[in-house]
Amino acid sequence: MILRPRLEEIKTIGYYLGRIIVCLGLTFLMPVALGLALKEISPTLDFVVGGAVTLISGLALVFLCRTEKDLNWMQGMIVVSLSWAAAMVFSAVPLYLSGHYKFYLDACFETMSGFTTTGLTLVQDLDHLSYTHNLWRHLGPFIGGQGIAIIALSLFVKGSSGAFRMYVGEGRDERLVPNVINTARFIWLISIVYLILGTIILGVVGISIGLKPLNAFFHGACIFMAGFDTAGFAPNSSNILYYHSLIFEIVTMTFMVLGALNFNLHYQVWIGNRKEMFKNIETKTFLISVLLIFFITAAGLSQLGVYPQALVLFRKGFFQLLSGHTTTGYMTIYAKQFITEWGNLALLGIICSMALGGCICSTAGGIKMLRVGIIFKALMQDIKRIILPDRAIVVQKFHHIKEVFLEDKLVRSALMVTVCYFVLYGAGTLVGTAYGYPFLDSLFESTSAAANVGFSCGITDASMPAGLKLTYIIQMWAGRLEFMSIFTLIGAAVAAVKGK
Amino acid sequence: MKRKIIFLAFGFIFLACWRPCCAETISSTELINNARQYDGKPVVYSGEVIGDIMRRGGFVWINVNDGPNAIGIWAAGDLAKEIARTGNYKTLGDTVEVEGVFHRSCLEHGGDLDIHASSLRKVKSGAVVEEKINPAKKKLAAVLLGVLCLLLILMRLRRR
């Protein structure tokens, strides 16, 4: 029998959701400060309005739903999925007020794309967007990459079991240190240290390639936030192509890779365990996967003679491939060139890289390297079982922070999420094809949205059908949260309607 | 005969001067979608200069936006001297017309799609954009801040 949620349960959800919304509302202070500093008055007003709406809504929820109760598993998952939806709606207010988005849905698309570290964009006339709005576009990935609930965990929630449930609900199940609050704080510490270093490095590179100092450091901060958080937003319409610089591309690639690595791995290096980098199943799988898929992509590009020199092929092909594999979505070519020049084989390589994605417990999307590694190990185990005598006991192990025995439970979980991703990729392709777009284009764009990559082959545009925009929003949301919280939300909605 | 020669000479001069300013500009969309067709050919491209003018030795990179896309222009430093304003939030950049060779995948620049300019002409000066503040937005912000303050006071009272 399905039970309808009780008022007390709804109040608990409302209370924690309210606290997260309040926390989000406070982040509006950053663009307000920048807007005032740069005398961008109209954009500042957009953020005052957006911030006030967010804080009023959050405080009203806290006021109306005050409770002392902790979250259970279901409530934790629902709070997480609803907080991402709420973040999308509230953060879209200042963007829509900027006049750079045709519809409110487009602004919502942009914020969901940002928070989920996807990077698909529907902004109009980006080159004339204010610094204030641009900062907000790039703060989205920085907040979402670490996790919206994680901000609340670091600041508001005291060490409760509900905190761990929200942490898991955001698609993370690894703790760096035993306490989940300290884990959340460490993730922020790593990110802020990298942000400062990244901004300085990219700022200096920016000045050396001819950017004005203010722009160099502003672009540096934006590119770092969207690069390390594997989002792929840029403060200009040409993306990374704007800079016309090899050194800028190399630095950006470094940050993309750092962002796609497991936070646990960063922690191990931080505490001096550098060997983990070379022993970990995820880094090994990532390296093999990048090399194999680059081979496919390069074969495709070379077959069609897309790039006249091997070095040029490497620079263009490898950047796009790494950007896809880390699920960043930075581009040094134009979106249409994927379709008009790259050909099916190279495109297939990029689609594969996007689908597989980065490491778990990172800011990257996609199926993730740990799952790919586990599935591969399980396959090897089964092959060994067939080859070896019946009496032989086949034990498979892998190294991920510590030595782990490959248990059926792990394989089942990895396969289940992988299947969900494939269904999500397929569903978006189906919708795209139903709207009349070619199959390969639809597959490319759908995989890019669901794996939170942000590459576009030209479908994502303000003029695309609203139904397709909604489909991609759902794909980005489900892909980032890795399904469980979304399934729980759907289950709760069904219970609310059909329950007794 | 002398008259004819003078007439012909004027005709040639006129044609020589007339052709560049009336040559049809090609849009960024056309260039990107049909890059192979235009590869290595002289083109005329026009748009607003956006972002920064990036100096590289005696040359500069400028990004010229014609609406849907911005294309990188590689030009000698002297050619860009005429550009006074580049587009951003507070400025509408100068509109320029660039004549040059289009590269689908430029070997000199790591495979970038670009145009190497042989001439660059400012066709419209940019301007400082006056920021318009919507009075309704001001009022809305004031009302919302008022509501927020009230809510905070209410919560504080309830806590007591």
Side-chain angles (χ1 to χ4, degrees):
Chain A
M1 188 174 69
I2 305 171
L3 292 175
R4 183 174 291 169
R6 285 175 293 125
L7 184 66
E8 202 55 33
E9 288 176 312
I10 295 170
K11 275 181 82 175
T12 311
I13 293 169
Y15 177 70
Y16 283 94
L17 179 64
R19 291 184 84 155
I20 293 175
I21 293 173
V22 169
C23 209
L24 178 81
L26 293 175
T27 60
F28 280 68
L29 290 172
M30 283 184 263
V32 167
L34 182 77
L36 289 174
L38 297 177
K39 291 179 185 154
E40 293 182 340
I41 305 304
S42 185
T44 307
L45 275 177
D46 295 344
F47 284 92
V48 171
V49 171
V53 169
T54 311
L55 284 171
I56 290 168
S57 311
L59 288 173
L61 270 175
V62 171
F63 185 73
L64 295 171
C65 306
R66 181 166 286 281
T67 179
E68 292 295 317
K69 286 190 175 171
D70 203 357
L71 291 164
N72 62 28
W73 270 110
M74 187 190 78
Q75 291 160 352
M77 295 282 178
I78 293 172
V79 166
V80 166
S81 48
L82 286 180
S83 63
W84 281 72
M88 171 189 82
V89 172
F90 290 120
S91 303
V93 172
L95 290 187
Y96 181 65
L97 291 176
S98 73
H100 283 260
Y101 295 85
K102 278 189 179 171
F103 309 103
Y104 191 72
L105 180 66
D106 292 10
C108 285
F109 183 99
E110 189 88 359
T111 51
M112 183 56 93
S113 175
F115 281 126
T116 57
T117 75
T118 306
L120 288 169
T121 184
L122 292 179
V123 66
Q124 305 289 302
D125 192 17
L126 176 58
D127 296 311
H128 291 104
L129 189 68
S130 68
Y131 285 99
T132 314
H133 285 104
N134 249 324
L135 174 71
W136 190 238
R137 285 177 73 238
H138 292 84
L139 264 180
F142 197 63
I143 293 167
Q146 275 53 264
I148 292 172
I150 281 189
I151 313 176
L153 291 179
S154 337
L155 298 175
F156 278 141
V157 182
K158 288 175 187 159
S160 63
S161 49
F164 179 63
R165 282 154 196 162
M166 288 205 288
Y167 180 74
V168 174
E170 280 198 326
R172 294 213 168 102
D173 44 14
E174 284 191 2
R175 276 181 279 188
L176 279 55
V177 286
N179 183 318
V180 73
I181 307 292
N182 289 339
T183 298
R185 284 180 187 155
F186 187 78
I187 288 177
W188 273 107
L189 176 70
I190 292 179
S191 308
I192 289 169
V193 167
Y194 275 131
L195 172 64
I196 295 166
L197 286 175
T199 305
I200 293 171
I201 294 169
L202 282 168
V204 171
V205 172
I207 291 173
S208 75
I209 61 169
L211 295 179
K212 287 177 189 154
L214 171 68
N215 280 348
F217 284 100
F218 181 75
H219 281 228
C222 288
I223 296 292
F224 174 82
M225 284 193 275
F228 180 74
D229 286 284
T230 65
F233 276 155
N236 55 72
S237 58
S238 305
N239 210 266
I240 300 299
L241 188 59
Y242 172 89
Y243 304 99
H244 302 282
S245 162
L246 175 64
I247 183 83
F248 202 91
E249 287 169 28
I250 291 170
V251 176
T252 310
M253 278 197 279
T254 312
F255 290 134
M256 293 193 296
V257 173
L258 284 176
L261 294 178
N262 193 325
F263 276 113
N264 220 334
L265 207 62
H266 287 282
Y267 179 68
Q268 294 302 317
V269 174
W270 189 280
I271 59 171
N273 181 16
R274 290 192 182 85
K275 281 183 187 165
E276 183 61 33
M277 283 280 285
F278 309 100
K279 281 162 45 182
N280 197 291
I281 186 173
E282 283 201 287
T283 41
K284 282 183 188 171
T285 313
F286 185 68
L287 187 68
I288 294 167
S289 174
V290 165
L291 291 176
L292 277 178
I293 300 177
F294 179 66
F295 179 73
I296 298 170
T297 310
L301 292 175
S302 139
Q303 195 182 36
L304 295 178
V306 179
Y307 296 109
Q309 268 183 7
L311 212 61
V312 169
L313 185 147
F314 183 78
R315 180 168 165 184
K316 289 289 170 194
F318 194 69
F319 186 93
Q320 267 41 246
L321 172 86
L322 205 61
S323 180
H325 215 317
T326 57
T327 72
T328 309
Y330 272 144
M331 292 165 82
T332 56
I333 60 169
Y334 291 91
K336 268 284 170 196
Q337 285 183 284
F338 273 129
I339 298 299
T340 55
E341 292 181 23
W342 272 44
N344 292 351
L345 188 60
L347 220 51
L348 211 61
I350 294 292
I351 292 171
C352 285
S353 71
M354 294 197 289
L356 297 178
C359 299
I360 64 156
C361 197
S362 70
T363 62
I367 293 166
K368 314 260 174 12
M369 290 298 101
L370 183 63
R371 296 192 183 105
V372 176
I374 286 175
I375 293 168
F376 182 75
K377 287 267 179 189
L379 185 72
M380 287 294 113
Q381 192 180 30
D382 279 2
I383 292 170
K384 274 183 195 167
R385 274 191 191 133
I386 296 165
I387 296 168
L388 292 171
D390 287 351
R391 278 180 296 171
I393 298 167
V394 180
V395 178
Q396 190 75 274
K397 284 199 297 184
F398 63 90
H399 185 88
H400 178 60
I401 313 298
K402 56 183 190 239
E403 289 299 314
V404 184
F405 283 101
L406 189 70
E407 294 171 6
D408 283 352
K409 197 173 68 178
L410 273 177
V411 180
R412 182 172 172 270
S413 154
L415 273 170
M416 213 169 67
V417 178
T418 305
V419 168
C420 284
Y421 269 110
F422 277 117
V423 170
L424 196 63
Y425 299 151
T429 310
L430 193 72
V431 176
T433 315
Y435 272 112
Y437 293 100
F439 172 75
L440 200 64
D441 300 31
S442 303
L443 177 66
F444 185 94
E445 212 83 355
S446 163
T447 310
S448 175
N452 305 126
V453 180
F455 272 159
S456 175
C457 64
I459 292 181
T460 300
D461 184 82
S463 61
M464 75 176 169
L468 199 55
K469 287 176 190 170
L470 270 173
T471 306
Y472 290 158
I473 287 176
I474 294 167
Q475 283 189 295
M476 294 188 272
W477 188 31
R480 170 63 180 85
L481 296 182
E482 298 201 337
F483 311 104
M484 281 322 285
S485 1
I486 306 291
F487 289 157
T488 314
L489 184 67
I490 295 167
V494 171
V497 177
K498 288 192 170 178
K500 286 179 183 172
Chain B
M1 188 63 188
K2 202 178 172 184
R3 268 185 165 181
K4 271 184 184 173
I5 290 169
I6 292 168
F7 181 74
L8 276 172
F10 270 111
F12 276 121
I13 290 165
F14 173 72
L15 276 175
C17 297
W18 175 78
R19 202 178 148 271
C21 55
C22 295
E24 212 171 299
T25 57
I26 301 168
S27 72
S28 60
T29 309
E30 170 73 9
L31 287 170
I32 294 163
N33 291 352
N34 305 290
R36 277 188 192 273
Q37 186 190 323
Y38 292 103
D39 194 16
K41 292 187 179 149
V43 293
V44 181
Y45 174 68
S46 178
E48 181 196 352
V49 180
I50 48 106
D52 285 339
I53 297 173
M54 293 176 274
R55 302 211 168 270
R56 308 278 167 90
F59 287 82
V60 291
W61 272 114
I62 54 172
N63 288 289
V64 175
N65 190 329
D66 72 339
N69 308 284
I71 290 184
I73 310 292
W74 177 248
D78 292 349
L79 290 179
K81 273 183 184 167
E82 219 188 325
I83 301 166
R85 287 197 171 91
T86 61
N88 55 44
Y89 173 65
K90 289 184 176 173
T91 319
L92 188 71
D94 292 340
T95 303
V96 295
E97 192 179 76
V98 179
E99 264 189 88
V101 178
F102 173 77
H103 297 100
R104 181 185 67 82
S105 168
C106 178
L107 289 180
E108 198 185 326
H109 298 116
D112 287 357
L113 183 148
D114 63 17
I115 295 171
H116 288 203
S118 53
S119 79
L120 191 147
R121 196 167 61 91
K122 182 154 75 175
V123 290
K124 195 179 162 194
S125 288
V128 172
V129 179
E130 287 287 319
E131 198 178 35
K132 285 176 197 156
I133 298 164
N134 186 345
K137 211 190 274 181
K138 260 187 187 172
K139 280 179 195 162
L140 181 65
V143 170
L144 286 169
L145 285 176
V147 174
L148 182 61
C149 288
L150 273 176
L151 196 59
L152 285 169
I153 293 166
L154 204 65
M155 288 181 85
R156 186 153 271 243
L157 286 175
R158 192 180 168 178
R159 245 185 232 168
R160 278 183 188 172

